[in-house]
Amino acid sequence: MPSANASRKTQEKPREVMDAAEDFAKERYGVSSMIQSQEKSDRVLVRISELTVQKADEVVWVRARVHTSRAKGKQCFLVLRQQQFNVQALVAVGDHASKQMVKFAANINKESIVDVEGVVRKVNQKIGSCTQQDVELHIQKIYVISLAEPRLPLQLDDAIRPEIEGEEEGRATVNQDTRLDNRVIDLRTSTSQAIFRLQSGICHLFRETLVNKGFVEIQTPKIISAASEGGANVFTVSYFKNNAYLAQSPQLYKQMCICADFEKVFCIGPVFRAEDSNTHRHLTEFVGLDIEMAFNYHYHEVVEEIADTLVQIFKGLQERFQTEIQTVSKQFPCEPFKFLEPTLRLEYCEALAMLREAGIEMGDEEDLRRSALLTLYELIQHLISCCCCSSTPNEKLLGRLVKEKYDTDFYILDKYPLAVRPFYTMPDPRNSKQSNSYDMFMRGEEILSGAQRIHDPQLLTERALHHGIDLEKIKAYIDSFRFGAPPHGGGGIGLERVTMLFLGLHNVRQTSMFPRDPKRLTP
Amino acid sequence: MPSANASRKTQEKPREVMDAAEDFAKERYGVSSMIQSQEKSDRVLVRISELTVQKADEVVWVRARVHTSRAKGKQCFLVLRQQQFNVQALVAVGDHASKQMVKFAANINKESIVDVEGVVRKVNQKIGSCTQQDVELHIQKIYVISLAEPRLPLQLDDAIRPEIEGEEEGRATVNQDTRLDNRVIDLRTSTSQAIFRLQSGICHLFRETLVNKGFVEIQTPKIISAASEGGANVFTVSYFKNNAYLAQSPQLYKQMCICADFEKVFCIGPVFRAEDSNTHRHLTEFVGLDIEMAFNYHYHEVVEEIADTLVQIFKGLQERFQTEIQTVSKQFPCEPFKFLEPTLRLEYCEALAMLREAGIEMGDEEDLRRSALLTLYELIQHLISCCCCSSTPNEKLLGRLVKEKYDTDFYILDKYPLAVRPFYTMPDPRNSKQSNSYDMFMRGEEILSGAQRIHDPQLLTERALHHGIDLEKIKAYIDSFRFGAPPHGGGGIGLERVTMLFLGLHNVRQTSMFPRDPKRLTP
């Protein structure tokens, strides 16, 4: 299939083309014509991960990227890469390769994709710099399938260097904007590959757990007719001759599904927040893992189901994604994520007491809205359900205190003051200042916000009026509860935050493939 | 937990309240106070589906909706419903129930949610109108948990009546707008429950199959900076001080993931099309099941992988969702869905020949753009990849011809004319008028559009210019291929269409929970 030297773009200089005329190996290398599905091929391409001593002395074909190439006398050493795997390869002047062929190999631009035929050879000394440490590939043929441009906007080796190594040894690292501007290359690093494979695993474990628990997956619309929750943080869409809005959460639709007897539902989808926040943990578009379920008598039935779902995710990640966790920790070292079974549940007032004991000045619950801790909720009040409170020093401190006392990175904070939660939050019948609502935290940062929702249209109307919400705008929502509605609750989890905090990373842009914030809309 | 007669809203009239004072059963019925998680309860609620002769003579608690109630002398018969299951229940004046209690039960509004305690009794004659045909429930206590308003905007029994029965017997059916306006009730019918459980199954089978094939799930942004594909059918979003757009497809991002070495990716998410089309098969927002993968030598590797994925979905649905399929067919009768393994692949020119043989006037391929069949593609040209060609009589006819000749409801149409496909479609190297592109059809309607994509930046630039596309707007896209890109292809599947056509339904609004079209943005 590869027709040697039949190149659309050649990197050889004219003089070398002339040399090629006398080159005995000239059919053994070159730039292939573009693969346009000209013909089918029986050739088997072997995965680099399969190149082990079991394959010693076999002739194999491999398609891979040229990670590095280095000429050394009459030889050229290449590192060939395929996702997180790589192998050393060698072209040496001899029976299979001419001087020109070695030179060709040495000049292939990094990140080009090549097809090589080679013999797998066992090596005497382990090759520490490659994942395939016990073998190398002795190349007999090499064809460029897709040629990379000579200048890369960032070097992969720099992109996986730990910050500390860069700082202490004065070696190059890559800043975040360069990474994001050139995301197609940045995503090729072993770290990025591991982060997004693990993220794919979070979604898989989330659904697997919920399907086993009898939940039904739903799809909710993202274009909605009214910015029901105040409207300050909502994106406006031109919808034919009118305006529409992007959903800040699937919550209203999840609840309608509960009123429509689906009983237990989940969805995974984009969530939009027009907040002008440029922090390490805010995105204008993120992925929500949402749960909603009817319960029998107490909203803790919901809390337990959600917490157990997260625990099953943590366990699944530690069982199935240990390689990815280790890969990321090489660049971003962190303590393994710890959690308890069952999950620790603290009441809000207990958390206040812990903070006070640690010397944080704090009023009683009545004064909470004026206290320092309020920053925890400043944003939540006008937002829908999940992932929106700002991370404050107190929140992080509480995380550290909980870790010291209970040895867990994951806990539930229950019974938030009613005043700081959205209008549809069920008040606590035993304490009119409290509510049946909760947040969940990982490594001291909030990853889920949820509550028992009001399922009675009369109380819902009262609470909406209390919050100054225009009843006309939420009429369809309130009407959903007029034809029999079971008690229910739920919550929304931010996928990028869970990924970030599980891996101990420090910026949510590392865990969003193509992040969106007030200043970034590309690529 | 239910405190009898401690009602927030009572439906009893004052005279009856007075009667209640002398009522020996007055603690045994009433309207419960709202469940606010006052306390936890050990009470076990039994599922209606579990009410079988094995439970005969047991006392059970059940929470369910009142589907119907009918007083008959000193008795009241109720049908209690839980999702698609229902059971007959009975309150009769006697040791457990007073006259007032029977009257209370008879007056509970339909669709209210009740907790009942009752004895399961085997019946001598099967109850044909209920799913639990061998038992009935003799009620000893009944409390309203959530009261429905007395007038329902639609009757569930009307909503599941087959059209033909409505027409021939003059009985009420429910029109589509009434259904959609009152979706929370319409979704409670056994038909809707079955449709959306099956749809949840399609997503599950899609992912299960692809994860087993080694695909990675990705999340792609929906807010994008440029309407790269022309812009005619794109929604505009106000993004802080600028404009942005809603993605018409995740395709550009899927391709970037391939360039970033993920090799095989899929995603499920909303897709937005600002088309002013009011047909049975167009929505302005639908759910795309998207696939993209690198291949070795021929794009048929991709075609086979996609077709097999769909076949695994069809098989899985027929194995795991037979009850749902049967339930839907009671209201909307249709032939079981047929498919072949491997999937039938026809070339475009073969399809033309079949149509010609059937007497359809059709020019040769050169004339195709002026032929009647062109309506098939009118819309596709400026759209991104999937699910957008209009359904024409010829397309449906071709489906019938293929069914007659090959006995399959599912087939691939391969090798579309280059002229009718988007600019990034790989031309066929053997025939400059053809392209390496394909659609897939179910029951004669298109559900997937896909192609080998151009992975060479030079050819991509040429083709974009040929299509008159502003290169500046697609710079980031073209640049993605400059640093080595493997040959690749993919396609996008419309979830609502697959659900509709698998079940033989006739409007995509039946398979979208909360459909969006140019005229509908609510609920």
Side-chain angles (χ1 to χ4, degrees):
Chain A
M1 130 102 13
S3 58
N5 295 321
S7 55
R8 291 171 51 89
K9 311 159 282 199
T10 176
Q11 56 175 178
E12 297 169 74
K13 299 183 190 82
R15 186 167 48 85
E16 288 161 320
V17 174
M18 285 171 67
D19 284 357
E22 303 141 47
D23 179 3
F24 75 93
K26 67 181 176 185
E27 299 297 322
R28 293 180 168 273
Y29 65 94
V31 177
S32 288
S33 60
M34 180 174 36
I35 293 178
Q36 265 190 288
S37 309
Q38 289 87 342
E39 55 198 52
K40 299 192 178 184
S41 166
D42 293 330
R43 183 184 292 164
V44 174
L45 295 175
V46 173
R47 303 292 301 175
I48 284 181
S49 57
E50 293 165 4
L51 298 179
T52 60
V53 288
Q54 279 76 45
K55 284 222 162 28
D57 305 322
E58 285 183 30
V59 176
V60 297
W61 277 97
V62 171
R63 176 170 296 172
R65 284 195 192 274
V66 173
H67 186 67
T68 59
S69 69
R70 175 170 55 92
K72 198 177 172 185
K74 292 184 168 177
Q75 299 182 104
C76 171
F77 288 91
L78 301 154
V79 172
L80 299 180
R81 194 185 79 235
Q82 215 171 52
Q83 299 181 326
Q84 69 271 47
F85 300 100
N86 51 26
V87 67
Q88 181 166 282
L90 171 71
V91 202
V93 174
D95 287 351
H96 293 291
S98 59
K99 203 173 61 180
Q100 294 94 328
M101 177 167 160
V102 172
K103 190 165 183 180
F104 174 83
N107 284 327
I108 298 173
N109 296 334
K110 279 198 277 189
E111 294 300 305
S112 297
I113 297 174
V114 292
D115 274 7
V116 301
E117 184 197 66
V119 184
V120 182
R121 296 288 188 203
K122 191 171 180 303
V123 292
N124 295 324
Q125 207 170 356
K126 275 188 190 290
I127 300 165
S129 58
C130 289
T131 58
Q132 310 312 106
Q133 306 200 329
D134 302 316
V135 296
E136 63 183 8
L137 198 59
H138 289 225
I139 292 176
Q140 299 178 342
K141 293 179 183 165
I142 183 164
Y143 306 101
V144 172
I145 293 298
S146 174
L147 186 66
E149 294 198 346
R151 282 180 62 91
L152 295 173
L154 60 88
Q155 300 300 319
L156 270 79
D157 286 340
D158 297 341
I160 60 162
R161 187 164 290 130
E163 289 283 316
I164 189 100
E165 211 175 286
E167 281 165 24
E168 288 177 4
E169 301 172 26
R171 300 177 73 182
T173 54
V174 183
N175 77 40
Q176 189 169 268
D177 277 333
T178 305
R179 287 178 190 277
L180 296 180
D181 288 341
N182 302 283
R183 196 60 160 159
V184 164
I185 299 174
D186 185 48
L187 288 175
R188 293 178 191 168
T189 65
S190 51
T191 304
S192 294
Q193 290 278 322
I195 289 171
F196 291 101
R197 274 164 203 282
L198 183 130
Q199 186 167 78
S200 173
I202 293 174
C203 294
H204 185 72
L205 288 158
F206 177 76
R207 288 185 298 246
E208 184 179 86
T209 305
L210 292 172
V211 167
N212 288 342
K213 287 176 187 285
F215 280 71
V216 174
E217 180 174 7
I218 58 168
Q219 307 291 340
T220 67
K222 304 307 165 198
I223 303 182
I224 56 173
S225 60
S228 55
E229 307 290 322
N233 297 312
V234 73
F235 288 113
T236 305
V237 183
S238 299
Y239 197 78
F240 302 100
K241 287 174 184 160
N242 295 303
N243 276 345
Y245 305 92
L246 290 182
Q248 293 162 293
S249 142
Q251 195 197 318
L252 312 192
Y253 292 94
K254 288 191 300 179
Q255 289 191 261
M256 285 197 233
C257 288
I258 299 303
C259 295
D261 289 349
F262 285 94
E263 293 188 3
K264 297 172 162 191
V265 298
F266 72 89
C267 57
I268 297 187
V271 171
F272 305 94
R273 301 282 165 88
E275 277 184 83
D276 200 357
S277 300
N278 294 282
T279 77
H280 78 287
R281 52 191 253 140
H282 285 87
L283 294 171
T284 51
E285 177 182 345
F286 63 89
V287 177
L289 309 181
D290 267 272
I291 293 179
E292 199 77 22
M293 61 179 271
F295 64 82
N296 293 340
Y297 297 109
H298 199 289
Y299 76 98
H300 282 176
E301 298 164 36
V302 181
V303 174
E304 281 158 24
E305 204 80 313
I306 297 175
D308 181 62
T309 300
L310 281 159
V311 164
Q312 297 312 320
I313 292 172
F314 303 148
K315 285 166 101 167
L317 292 177
Q318 290 182 344
E319 282 163 18
R320 304 183 203 171
F321 291 86
Q322 205 47 244
T323 311
E324 283 77 7
I325 294 168
Q326 296 306 324
T327 300
V328 176
S329 76
K330 274 183 211 157
Q331 182 170 3
F332 301 102
C334 96
E335 296 286 307
F337 189 81
K338 285 194 167 181
F339 55 93
L340 303 174
E341 281 192 80
T343 302
L344 175 68
R345 187 180 63 81
L346 290 176
E347 296 213 352
Y348 189 78
C349 52
E350 292 175 80
L352 285 192
M354 283 174 77
L355 284 170
R356 273 199 208 99
E357 207 172 296
I360 302 294
E361 284 294 318
M362 194 78 71
D364 60 13
E365 286 181 61
E366 299 245 39
D367 291 325
L368 193 69
R369 300 184 69 183
R370 286 183 296 276
S371 83
L373 197 65
L374 180 62
T375 48
L376 263 170
Y377 314 107
E378 269 167 5
L379 289 164
I380 233 170
Q381 202 157 358
H382 294 289
L383 286 171
I384 298 201
S385 66
C386 66
C387 305
C388 281
C389 66
S390 66
S391 177
T392 67
N394 282 345
E395 198 184 25
K396 293 291 275 186
L397 172 61
L398 182 60
R400 282 197 298 278
L401 297 174
V402 169
K403 180 74 182 276
E404 273 167 31
K405 187 165 176 185
Y406 300 100
D407 198 28
T408 180
D409 289 309
F410 175 56
Y411 70 96
I412 304 158
L413 199 51
D414 194 14
K415 296 256 153 252
Y416 273 65
L418 182 62
V420 300
R421 304 297 271 201
F423 75 95
Y424 46 69
T425 307
M426 183 63 89
D428 182 344
R430 291 171 308 174
N431 181 337
S432 62
K433 294 212 158 40
Q434 285 185 22
S435 65
N436 293 348
S437 68
Y438 42 86
D439 278 6
M440 297 190 189
F441 292 82
M442 286 172 68
R443 299 195 202 260
E445 296 193 38
E446 179 261 339
I447 55 127
L448 171 137
S449 191
Q452 176 178 355
R453 328 292 189 182
I454 297 171
H455 60 285
D456 178 276
Q458 193 178 326
L459 179 58
L460 195 55
T461 304
E462 285 166 21
R463 295 296 306 161
L465 286 174
H466 179 85
H467 277 256
I469 290 169
D470 180 355
L471 289 182
E472 203 41 53
K473 286 200 170 158
I474 57 167
K475 183 174 181 303
Y477 178 59
I478 295 182
D479 285 349
S480 305
F481 304 99
R482 295 196 189 281
F483 306 101
H488 64 283
I493 301 167
L495 174 63
E496 294 84 354
R497 286 196 185 172
V498 171
T499 315
M500 168 178 80
L501 294 165
F502 184 82
L503 290 169
L505 300 175
H506 301 293
N507 195 308
V508 80
R509 288 161 189 78
Q510 293 174 289
T511 57
S512 172
M513 270 197 176
F514 303 100
R516 295 294 181 249
D517 65 34
K519 293 174 181 157
R520 178 173 290 280
L521 261 178
T522 54
Chain B
M1 129 105 10
S3 58
N5 297 320
S7 57
R8 290 170 52 88
K9 311 160 280 202
T10 175
Q11 54 174 180
E12 298 170 74
K13 299 183 190 79
R15 187 166 49 85
E16 288 161 321
V17 174
M18 284 172 67
D19 284 357
E22 302 142 49
D23 178 3
F24 75 91
K26 68 181 176 185
E27 299 297 322
R28 294 180 166 274
Y29 66 94
V31 177
S32 288
S33 60
M34 180 174 35
I35 294 178
Q36 264 188 291
S37 309
Q38 289 88 339
E39 54 199 52
K40 301 192 178 184
S41 167
D42 294 330
R43 182 184 294 165
V44 175
L45 296 175
V46 173
R47 303 292 301 175
I48 284 180
S49 58
E50 292 166 4
L51 298 179
T52 59
V53 288
Q54 280 75 44
K55 284 222 162 26
D57 305 323
E58 284 183 32
V59 176
V60 297
W61 276 96
V62 172
R63 177 170 297 170
R65 285 196 191 271
V66 173
H67 185 67
T68 59
S69 69
R70 174 170 57 91
K72 197 176 171 184
K74 291 184 170 177
Q75 298 181 105
C76 170
F77 287 92
L78 301 155
V79 173
L80 299 179
R81 192 185 81 236
Q82 216 170 52
Q83 299 181 328
Q84 68 272 49
F85 301 100
N86 51 26
V87 68
Q88 180 165 283
L90 171 71
V91 203
V93 174
D95 287 351
H96 292 292
S98 58
K99 201 173 63 177
Q100 295 92 328
M101 179 168 158
V102 171
K103 190 163 186 183
F104 174 84
N107 284 327
I108 298 172
N109 297 334
K110 279 199 275 190
E111 295 299 305
S112 297
I113 297 174
V114 293
D115 274 7
V116 301
E117 185 197 65
V119 184
V120 182
R121 295 288 188 207
K122 192 171 178 307
V123 291
N124 295 325
Q125 207 170 356
K126 275 187 190 291
I127 302 164
S129 57
C130 289
T131 60
Q132 309 315 105
Q133 306 201 328
D134 302 316
V135 295
E136 64 182 7
L137 198 59
H138 289 224
I139 293 176
Q140 298 179 344
K141 293 178 183 166
I142 182 163
Y143 306 102
V144 173
I145 293 299
S146 175
L147 187 66
E149 294 197 346
R151 282 179 63 91
L152 295 173
L154 60 89
Q155 301 300 318
L156 270 81
D157 286 340
D158 297 341
I160 60 162
R161 185 164 291 129
E163 289 284 316
I164 189 102
E165 213 175 285
E167 282 165 23
E168 289 177 2
E169 301 172 27
R171 300 177 71 184
T173 54
V174 182
N175 76 39
Q176 191 170 266
D177 276 332
T178 305
R179 287 177 190 277
L180 296 179
D181 288 341
N182 301 283
R183 197 63 160 155
V184 164
I185 299 174
D186 185 48
L187 287 175
R188 292 178 192 169
T189 65
S190 51
T191 304
S192 293
Q193 289 279 322
I195 289 171
F196 291 101
R197 274 165 202 282
L198 182 129
Q199 185 168 78
S200 173
I202 293 174
C203 294
H204 186 72
L205 287 159
F206 177 77
R207 287 184 299 246
E208 184 179 86
T209 305
L210 292 172
V211 167
N212 288 341
K213 287 176 187 284
F215 280 71
V216 174
E217 180 174 7
I218 58 167
Q219 307 290 340
T220 68
K222 304 308 165 200
I223 303 181
I224 57 173
S225 59
S228 55
E229 307 291 322
N233 298 311
V234 73
F235 287 113
T236 305
V237 182
S238 299
Y239 196 78
F240 301 100
K241 287 174 184 159
N242 295 302
N243 275 345
Y245 306 92
L246 290 182
Q248 293 161 293
S249 144
Q251 195 196 319
L252 313 192
Y253 292 94
K254 289 190 300 181
Q255 288 192 262
M256 286 197 235
C257 289
I258 299 302
C259 295
D261 289 350
F262 285 94
E263 293 188 3
K264 297 170 163 194
V265 299
F266 71 90
C267 57
I268 296 187
V271 171
F272 306 93
R273 302 280 165 91
E275 278 184 82
D276 200 358
S277 300
N278 294 282
T279 77
H280 79 286
R281 53 192 252 138
H282 285 88
L283 295 170
T284 52
E285 178 181 344
F286 63 89
V287 177
L289 309 181
D290 267 90
I291 293 180
E292 198 77 21
M293 63 179 270
F295 64 81
N296 294 339
Y297 297 108
H298 199 288
Y299 76 96
H300 282 176
E301 297 164 37
V302 180
V303 174
E304 280 157 25
E305 205 78 313
I306 297 175
D308 182 62
T309 301
L310 281 159
V311 164
Q312 297 312 319
I313 291 173
F314 303 148
K315 285 166 101 165
L317 292 178
Q318 292 182 343
E319 281 163 20
R320 304 184 203 171
F321 290 88
Q322 206 47 246
T323 311
E324 284 76 8
I325 294 169
Q326 297 306 325
T327 300
V328 176
S329 75
K330 274 183 213 158
Q331 182 170 3
F332 301 102
C334 95
E335 297 286 306
F337 190 80
K338 286 196 168 180
F339 54 94
L340 303 173
E341 280 192 82
T343 302
L344 175 68
R345 187 180 63 81
L346 290 176
E347 295 212 352
Y348 189 79
C349 51
E350 293 175 79
L352 285 191
M354 283 174 77
L355 283 170
R356 274 201 207 96
E357 208 171 297
I360 302 293
E361 284 294 319
M362 193 78 68
D364 62 11
E365 286 181 60
E366 301 243 41
D367 293 323
L368 193 71
R369 300 184 67 185
R370 284 184 297 276
S371 83
L373 196 65
L374 179 64
T375 47
L376 263 171
Y377 313 109
E378 269 167 5
L379 289 164
I380 231 170
Q381 203 158 357
H382 294 291
L383 286 171
I384 297 203
S385 66
C386 66
C387 304
C388 282
C389 66
S390 66
S391 178
T392 67
N394 282 346
E395 199 184 25
K396 292 291 275 186
L397 172 60
L398 181 61
R400 282 198 299 278
L401 297 175
V402 170
K403 180 76 181 274
E404 274 167 31
K405 185 164 175 185
Y406 300 99
D407 198 28
T408 179
D409 290 309
F410 175 56
Y411 70 97
I412 304 159
L413 199 53
D414 195 14
K415 296 257 152 252
Y416 274 64
L418 181 63
V420 301
R421 304 296 273 201
F423 75 96
Y424 47 71
T425 307
M426 183 65 87
D428 182 344
R430 292 171 306 175
N431 179 339
S432 62
K433 296 209 158 38
Q434 284 185 22
S435 66
N436 293 348
S437 68
Y438 42 85
D439 278 6
M440 297 191 189
F441 291 82
M442 286 172 67
R443 299 194 201 261
E445 295 193 39
E446 179 261 341
I447 55 128
L448 171 138
S449 190
Q452 175 177 356
R453 328 292 190 183
I454 298 172
H455 61 285
D456 178 276
Q458 193 180 325
L459 179 58
L460 195 55
T461 304
E462 285 165 22
R463 294 296 307 162
L465 287 173
H466 179 85
H467 277 255
I469 289 168
D470 180 353
L471 290 181
E472 203 41 51
K473 286 200 171 159
I474 56 167
K475 184 173 181 305
Y477 177 60
I478 295 183
D479 286 349
S480 305
F481 303 100
R482 295 195 188 283
F483 305 102
H488 63 284
I493 300 166
L495 174 62
E496 294 84 355
R497 286 196 185 171
V498 172
T499 314
M500 168 178 80
L501 294 165
F502 184 82
L503 290 169
L505 300 174
H506 300 293
N507 195 308
V508 81
R509 288 161 189 77
Q510 293 174 289
T511 57
S512 172
M513 269 195 178
F514 303 100
R516 296 292 180 254
D517 65 33
K519 293 175 181 158
R520 178 173 289 281
L521 260 178
T522 54

